[in-house]
Amino acid sequence: MPDRENPGPSALSRLRSARTLRLQLLHSLHKLVRPVLVVLPAVGLLLGFGMRVGGSGQWSESIWAAATVPVLGALLIQIVASLRRGDVGLDIVAALSMTGALFFGEYLAAVVVALMYAGGQYLESFAERRASREMKALLARAPRTAIRYNDGRLEEVALDDIAAKDRLLVRQGDVVPVDGQVAAGVAILDQSALTGETIPARKAAGETVMSGVTNVGDTFDLSATHSAADSTYAGIVRLVEAAQRSKAPMARLADRFALAFLAVTIVLAGGAWLWSGDPIRALAVLVVATPCPLILAVPVAIVSGVSRAAKSGVLIKGGRALEMLARVRALVIDKTGTLTHGQARIVNVHPMGLPPDTLLQLAASLDQASRHVIARALVAEAQAKELDLLVPAAVEEIPGEGLEGTINGRRVAVGGVRFVSQRVPKAAGAFADGHYPVGSVAVAVAIDGEPAGVLILADALRSESAHVIDSLRRLGIARIVLASGDRRDVAEAVTVGLHLDAVYSDLTPDRKIAIVQAEKRCGPVMMIGDGVNDAPALAAADLGVAMGAKGTAASAEAADVVLLVDRLDKIPVAIRAARWSRRIALQSVYAGIGLSAIGMVVAAFGYLTPVQGALIQEAIDVAVILNALRALWGSETS
């Protein structure tokens, strides 16, 4: 029985579930409150005017005051929470103007300010909610259970219940749940998510297996050496969480002007009151100063930019990510699945007496009987070339090494050079002299006891990679480095011809974080990756970009931007859209502050009443919002 100081795995799981439930309830409540706070002042404003038109004007001011109070209450709670975090925002000006308007009986001005403020807050959160909805539809959930042997029977258990020395069954397609050793069978593992190596690894009995890799071969037994909490995958998750906690949050664009604008507003309003002795002048200054142009126009520009990027297949998770995307000056990029396709493809064919297509046709026909990832790659290549695949017969396979069988009356052997050389002694010399590219895998083929050729597979560079790197240079990305978990020779061979500043290889997740931190000396850093091993670095970077279509859920969750299509050329498009939106947002900020400042001076000299100030502020709102909507169109060329 675990004690209260050291709760067991099940207790920890229940605590996490309870905490998650509380957060979900708070999030749901927040989603419900925001729309209500917009509707209340809008309905109150219209109802108050309706009362005046209907001859019951005595109720108008009470209705406007009642519609303002909930917005002001929510705003005050938000301000207190922000001040506890040390954040000072322009929300304080809105709170002062609403409070002053209620205190001095300027209820129409109060409800107008409440409506503008609540509307701006709702718009600002819209981009976040939109991104969240699309992420739920995009990402698959990590497995939470495993199959364990128990007294000669199999049972499905939660990952938290797995302990060291438990014997587990790992089926084809399963993600290995905990670190362990192969207990029975042969494990063929896709380790690309952790190490970046695209060629599956073969693990015999007694060899170590890391959690987070995928079984692409036959079912095998795993003897757990660690619990789920102490395994490799859990360690990576902890790195992600630590990186996210250490990354300083980015202030809202409008809040950067908060302290200066707040000080000017207070001085001008207080000066007008002291000079004239009329508190209504101070209120008029506060109403005109209410930063509705900033609260409204900036979110409009951000939502427009996020929507525009989404149409190009780029999911940007809110305004902070969009602004950082516009400011990045350094890039750290992964290799496997990012610069490359992340899967083995035929890059060369060395036939020995047969046409290349015939060689591929016979090899792929036999490989239809295998579930090995390389076999599936050959079959896919043959199908892409529309070759007529024949039905194999009398097939014998050694998992992870190769297979032999009959195709249309001909005896065919396909597999590694060693496997085929053992089956066909004549082939040993023919295959031994081959010089194959670094990081590639050679698939030997023998037909009727004679060597027939070699198919070379490798994880090839994306066709657009070089163009994207050059485009990012032209966009002002001053430093671009590769950070890969793959071997040094493979990383260097793949990136030949790319204009990179440095190539780092053999990196573990924590070393990738160190690379990201080091590159921050050049300015805001963008990290692009797709695997589980990239997730900590994505979280640590100023801006993380994940390859969402084929990347892992862990990388997409940790990233700030997700490419919904696996094409790197979407990155320059997204940067241009972000820069255009940021430029429009800044124009709105400067125009809004400038026009508000003029109105504040006019109000300070007594030429504007609070209601007139609120109407002028609405006119300013309309102008800057129309300007912000330009972010949906136009272009950024540099």
Side-chain angles (χ1 to χ4, degrees), residues 493-567:
V494 168
T495 56
V496 169
L498 296 182
H499 299 151
L500 301 175
D501 294 295
V503 175
Y504 301 99
S505 57
D506 297 305
L507 297 178
T508 56
D510 57 334
R511 289 182 62 198
K512 282 194 175 185
I513 291 178
I515 296 296
V516 168
Q517 298 291 1
E519 294 301 329
K520 288 185 178 181
R521 67 183 185 275
C522 302
V525 174
M526 175 170 62
M527 166 73 190
I528 307 177
D530 78 316
V532 172
N533 62 330
D534 298 319
L538 290 170
D542 296 300
L543 185 87
V545 180
M547 307 292 286
K550 292 184 180 178
T552 64
S555 63
E557 291 281 8
D560 305 293
V561 177
V562 179
L563 302 185
L564 302 181
V565 290
D566 280 317
R567 291 190 58 86

Side-chain angles (χ1 to χ4, degrees), residues 373-603:
V373 65
I374 297 299
R376 292 202 300 266
L378 288 181
V379 172
E381 291 276 358
Q383 291 173 338
K385 290 189 174 186
E386 298 183 349
L387 300 179
D388 185 19
L389 297 184
L390 307 173
V391 178
V395 178
E396 300 174 3
E397 180 177 9
I398 297 180
E401 295 190 15
L403 64 166
E404 187 174 5
T406 301
I407 303 293
N408 200 23
R410 308 181 73 176
R411 194 66 180 169
V412 179
V414 178
V417 170
R418 185 181 63 177
F419 171 82
V420 176
S421 297
Q422 290 173 346
R423 286 289 193 278
V424 182
K426 293 181 181 179
F431 295 146
D433 296 333
H435 297 287
Y436 311 123
V438 175
S440 65
V441 59
V443 177
V445 183
I447 300 174
D448 293 331
E450 299 288 339
V454 179
L455 304 168
I456 308 299
L457 291 89
D459 185 14
L461 198 68
R462 293 179 186 270
S463 59
E464 73 269 19
S465 292
H467 174 70
V468 168
I469 296 296
D470 293 340
S471 296
L472 293 174
R473 294 282 191 192
R474 289 192 293 271
L475 285 170
I477 308 298
R479 185 167 169 82
I480 303 176
V481 303
L482 177 76
S484 174
D486 218 334
R487 303 195 317 268
R488 179 78 185 180
D489 55 348
V490 175
E492 290 182 342
V494 168
T495 56
V496 169
L498 296 182
H499 299 151
L500 301 175
D501 294 295
V503 175
Y504 301 99
S505 57
D506 297 305
L507 297 178
T508 56
D510 57 334
R511 289 182 62 198
K512 282 194 175 185
I513 291 178
I515 296 296
V516 168
Q517 298 291 1
E519 294 301 329
K520 288 185 178 181
R521 67 183 185 275
C522 302
V525 174
M526 175 170 62
M527 166 73 190
I528 307 177
D530 78 316
V532 172
N533 62 330
D534 298 319
L538 290 170
D542 296 300
L543 185 87
V545 180
M547 307 292 286
K550 292 184 180 178
T552 64
S555 63
E557 291 281 8
D560 305 293
V561 177
V562 179
L563 302 185
L564 302 181
V565 290
D566 280 317
R567 291 190 58 86
L568 281 177
D569 52 11
K570 298 298 181 181
I571 295 290
V573 174
I575 290 177
R576 292 188 183 97
R579 289 184 177 179
W580 178 247
S581 298
R582 184 172 183 267
R583 176 182 293 181
I584 297 299
L586 286 172
Q587 286 176 358
S588 299
V589 168
Y590 298 141
I593 287 179
L595 293 172
S596 293
I598 294 172
M600 288 161 60
V601 172
V602 174

Side-chain angles (χ1 to χ4, degrees), residues 102-226:
L102 290 175
F103 184 80
F104 292 112
E106 297 287 343
Y107 302 116
L108 176 57
V111 76
V112 170
V113 172
L115 177 59
M116 292 300 100
Y117 175 79
Q121 291 288 295
Y122 183 79
L123 282 172
E124 189 173 23
S125 64
F126 176 77
E128 303 284 349
R129 296 197 309 275
R130 182 178 186 276
S132 177
R133 287 197 304 269
E134 294 194 32
M135 286 299 290
K136 288 178 182 177
L138 172 69
L139 299 178
R141 297 303 176 196
R144 301 178 183 275
T145 61
I147 306 299
R148 182 174 64 185
Y149 288 95
N150 184 13
D151 295 331
R153 294 163 50 174
L154 293 174
E155 61 178 358
E156 187 172 5
V157 297
L159 291 188
D160 287 340
D161 293 335
I162 298 174
K165 298 184 179 180
D166 280 352
R167 191 181 181 96
L168 308 176
L169 180 71
V170 183
R171 300 163 298 188
Q172 185 182 45
D174 283 352
V175 174
V176 176
V178 297
D179 293 349
Q181 294 179 335
V182 177
V186 175
I188 308 298
L189 304 170
D190 177 1
Q191 301 184 138
S192 59
L194 293 185
T195 66
E197 296 174 318
T198 55
I199 306 302
R202 183 179 185 274
K203 301 283 186 178
E207 292 191 79
T208 300
V209 176
M210 294 182 293
S211 60
V213 302
T214 303
N215 178 24
V216 294
D218 293 331
T219 297
F220 69 93
D221 288 352
L222 179 78
S223 177
T225 56
H226 297 79

Side-chain angles (χ1 to χ4, degrees), residues 112-113 116 261 284-298 300 584-603 608-629:
V112 170
V113 172
M116 292 300 100
F261 192 76
V285 171
L286 289 174
V287 170
V288 176
T290 301
C292 293
L294 309 187
I295 295 171
L296 285 169
V298 172
V300 167
I584 297 299
L586 286 172
Q587 286 176 358
S588 299
V589 168
Y590 298 141
I593 287 179
L595 293 172
S596 293
I598 294 172
M600 288 161 60
V601 172
V602 174
L608 286 177
T609 66
V611 173
Q612 290 171 337
L615 294 175
I616 288 176
Q617 190 58 259
E618 286 218 42
I620 296 173
D621 293 344
V622 172
V624 296
I625 288 172
L626 289 175
N627 180 68
L629 286 172

Side-chain angles (χ1 to χ4, degrees), residues 17-143:
S17 299
R19 189 181 299 115
T20 300
L21 180 59
R22 286 197 299 271
L23 290 174
Q24 289 174 344
L25 289 173
L26 287 173
H27 182 64
S28 299
L29 182 62
H30 183 71
K31 287 171 64 178
L32 289 172
V33 168
R34 276 273 170 89
V36 171
L37 291 179
V38 178
V39 171
L40 280 177
V43 172
L45 184 64
L46 294 174
L47 187 58
F49 279 122
M51 287 291 184
R52 285 195 173 184
V53 172
S56 301
Q58 68 272 18
W59 294 101
S60 297
E61 293 186 345
S62 298
I63 292 172
W64 291 332
T68 303
V69 169
V71 178
L72 178 58
L75 174 56
L76 291 175
I77 293 172
Q78 181 177 317
I79 289 173
V80 170
S82 298
L83 290 175
R84 285 179 176 175
R85 296 193 304 266
D87 297 335
V88 179
L90 287 169
D91 301 337
I92 294 176
V93 179
L96 287 173
S97 62
M98 275 187 270
T99 303
L102 290 175
F103 184 80
F104 292 112
E106 297 287 343
Y107 302 116
L108 176 57
V111 76
V112 170
V113 172
L115 177 59
M116 292 300 100
Y117 175 79
Q121 291 288 295
Y122 183 79
L123 282 172
E124 189 173 23
S125 64
F126 176 77
E128 303 284 349
R129 296 197 309 275
R130 182 178 186 276
S132 177
R133 287 197 304 269
E134 294 194 32
M135 286 299 290
K136 288 178 182 177
L138 172 69
L139 299 178
R141 297 303 176 196

